[in-house]
Amino acid sequence: MEANLTQLQESLKSEVRKFVSNEISPVASKLDEAGEFPFDIFKKAQALGFINLMLSSDHGGTGLSAFDACLVVEELAVGCAGVTTSILANDLALLPIQIAGSEEQKKNFISPILNAGQFASFCLTEPGAGSDAAGLSTSLRKEGDFYILNGNKQWITNGGIASQYTVFCTLDKSMKHKGICCVVVSADSSGITRGHHENKMGQRCSNTTTVTFDNVKVPVKNLIGLEGEGFKIAMKTIDLSRPLTASIAVGIGRAALEHSLKYSKERKQFGAAISTFQAIQFMLADIVTDVSAARLLTLNAATLLDAGKNASLESSMAKRFAADMAMRAATDAVQIFGGYGYTKDYPVEKLMRDAKLLQIYEGTSQVQRLVIARELLKG
């Protein structure tokens, strides 16, 4: 697939790589250590069109295809997975509106966020409902022209800085997925409390908080789609976003390979560069093979999505394989670096910490296997 990239796609990759080299890579370690959200990087990314990637240009987004967005995300993730995760949060939060919202809702809930350079958050996960999205408890009760929203959301990317939330909630928990709705909530609504920024193992500069809704009044016009369609909207959104998440993993794997190649040629043991040792060569061979395979799975899923085809199987395969690959590649990179790789003076320990999250969020690797098996058995 990479052999067939157009000149425009190659130029896009080159521009993103330049941005990463100048703006992200030099500060990635510092941002990680401090757990600091890089507002200045996001302003520059927006100016260059490296944020809001799959959101329509009619509403202020970059308007890229899924394939081209994956190319951008891989380059960004080579620099820092945490920065990239927060960059993608707007796509995740606003794609449900682009998928199922009316034109008026798109103008009211997408355009203002993008034009003002603000952030939105996708609120699905709860303290008691992670992998079991259909078991969420956040409740929605209709009262006249408003809904009353109550509940707690956890692990919300950009939750502490968002101006708007896309919230998945239920009219009746006993209805499981059939009772779930999707509503848009302004962050300045009365009754919203944002938690502290979580002190995470990896992807530390990406803002992650709890968000609590206490009798929050939501206008009925803020309902996306129909009552009971929320679960379907969430799953369609995640099908679109999983290749982007897989691309973060590909970027981590590629970074692990690049750092390992460079270090193995410089590091000498027993009078020779360690790159001459078969044990190291086998590890490098496995990393490059796995990175290439993950990239192909990811771009194949993106190609199917761009063609308007159902890609639940392919998106889950890409996300599962790429996430597990990134963890293996980063672990092998630490091994190649030896004791140095275990210190923060070298970049690979950060890759290992960042990679672990990819096996957890947007569906764990175990849940992806369930999705893959279900799609496979359906035929």
Side-chain angles (χ1 to χ4, degrees):
M1 287 185 179
E2 284 205 303
N4 294 322
L5 294 185
T6 66
Q7 186 175 350
L8 192 59
Q9 289 169 329
E10 292 285 6
S11 297
L12 177 62
K13 282 166 58 74
S14 178
E15 287 302 309
V16 181
R17 193 174 296 138
K18 189 186 305 179
F19 174 74
V20 169
S21 178
N22 293 336
E23 304 294 342
I24 298 179
S25 295
V27 297
S29 177
K30 173 176 172 284
L31 294 173
D32 173 73
E33 189 74 22
E36 177 185 333
F37 190 83
F39 285 100
D40 56 333
I41 289 177
F42 281 84
K43 287 180 182 176
K44 293 173 182 175
Q46 185 188 29
L48 293 169
F50 300 154
I51 190 171
N52 307 314
L53 298 172
M54 291 180 64
L55 299 169
S56 171
S57 57
D58 292 341
H59 302 110
T62 304
L64 295 183
S65 65
F67 189 99
D68 288 354
C70 286
L71 298 180
V72 171
V73 171
E74 178 183 332
E75 297 298 334
L76 290 170
V78 170
C80 179
V83 170
T84 309
T85 289
S86 273
I87 279 179
L88 289 180
N90 271 14
D91 280 281
L92 185 60
L94 300 177
L95 278 172
I97 306 168
Q98 184 162 287
I99 290 169
S102 66
E103 277 306 312
E104 182 180 1
Q105 288 175 325
K106 292 172 187 177
K107 290 176 182 176
N108 290 340
F109 302 137
I110 297 179
S111 298
I113 294 291
L114 304 194
N115 293 335
Q118 295 174 335
F119 301 96
S121 289
F122 182 85
C123 298
L124 179 63
T125 303
E126 298 180 0
S131 296
D132 180 17
L136 58 81
S137 299
T138 297
S139 65
L140 197 67
R141 184 181 76 254
K142 193 170 184 180
E143 288 188 1
D145 293 332
F146 291 89
Y147 290 108
I148 305 301
L149 179 68
N150 282 282
N152 301 301
K153 296 295 183 178
Q154 192 161 21
W155 316 122
I156 304 305
T157 300
N158 293 352
I161 59 173
S163 299
Q164 180 177 288
Y165 299 107
T166 302
V167 184
F168 294 87
C169 42
T170 182
L171 292 168
D172 182 349
K173 189 174 180 179
S174 67
M175 295 174 67
K176 296 289 186 179
H177 66 277
K178 293 181 180 179
I180 294 175
C181 300
C182 175
V183 294
V184 176
V185 185
S186 173
D188 60 11
S189 300
S190 178
I192 295 178
T193 303
R194 315 184 205 219
H196 63 83
H197 172 48
E198 299 288 352
N199 188 14
K200 306 191 298 291
M201 174 194 292
Q203 301 201 24
R204 290 171 47 79
C205 72
S206 176
N207 181 264
T208 308
T209 71
T210 58
V211 182
T212 300
F213 303 94
D214 183 12
N215 288 321
V216 176
K217 293 180 70 175
V218 182
V220 168
K221 65 182 181 181
N222 288 25
L223 175 72
I224 303 301
L226 301 175
E227 290 183 351
E229 287 189 338
F231 187 79
K232 179 175 68 175
I233 293 168
M235 294 305 103
K236 284 184 177 180
T237 301
I238 289 172
D239 279 349
L240 282 171
S241 68
R242 276 179 179 153
L244 301 181
T245 307
S247 293
I248 299 178
V250 175
I252 289 177
R254 199 181 98 199
L257 175 64
E258 291 173 0
H259 289 306
S260 296
L261 275 172
K262 184 174 184 294
Y263 182 81
S264 69
K265 292 176 182 178
E266 296 170 350
R267 175 67 169 165
K268 289 185 169 53
Q269 291 284 276
F270 308 106
I274 64 171
S275 61
T276 64
F277 303 155
Q278 191 178 63
I280 301 297
Q281 291 176 354
F282 281 6
M283 293 169 81
L284 294 172
D286 285 345
I287 295 172
V288 71
T289 302
D290 286 351
V291 169
S292 297
R295 182 184 292 116
L296 287 170
L297 278 171
T298 300
L299 295 179
N300 179 59
T303 299
L304 291 172
L305 289 168
D306 287 335
K309 297 181 179 179
N310 184 315
S312 294
L313 172 64
E314 291 79 7
S315 291
S316 285
M317 288 196 300
K319 200 274 182 182
R320 199 290 299 168
F321 183 84
D324 292 346
M325 173 281 297
M327 195 65 208
R328 286 195 307 271
T331 302
D332 282 351
V334 170
Q335 192 71 18
I336 289 169
F337 275 69
Y340 293 112
Y342 201 66
T343 71
K344 293 183 182 294
D345 295 329
Y346 288 79
V348 290
E349 63 84 29
K350 177 181 181 297
L351 295 178
M352 187 174 174
R353 289 186 288 107
D354 287 350
K356 186 60 200 172
L357 183 55
L358 291 161
Q359 294 180 304
I360 298 172
Y361 71 179
E362 287 204 43
T364 65
S365 291
Q366 289 70 34
V367 165
Q368 300 307 325
R369 287 173 169 85
L370 290 175
V371 174
I372 293 164
R374 182 191 68 201
E375 293 295 319
L376 187 64
L377 291 168
K378 276 167 50 178

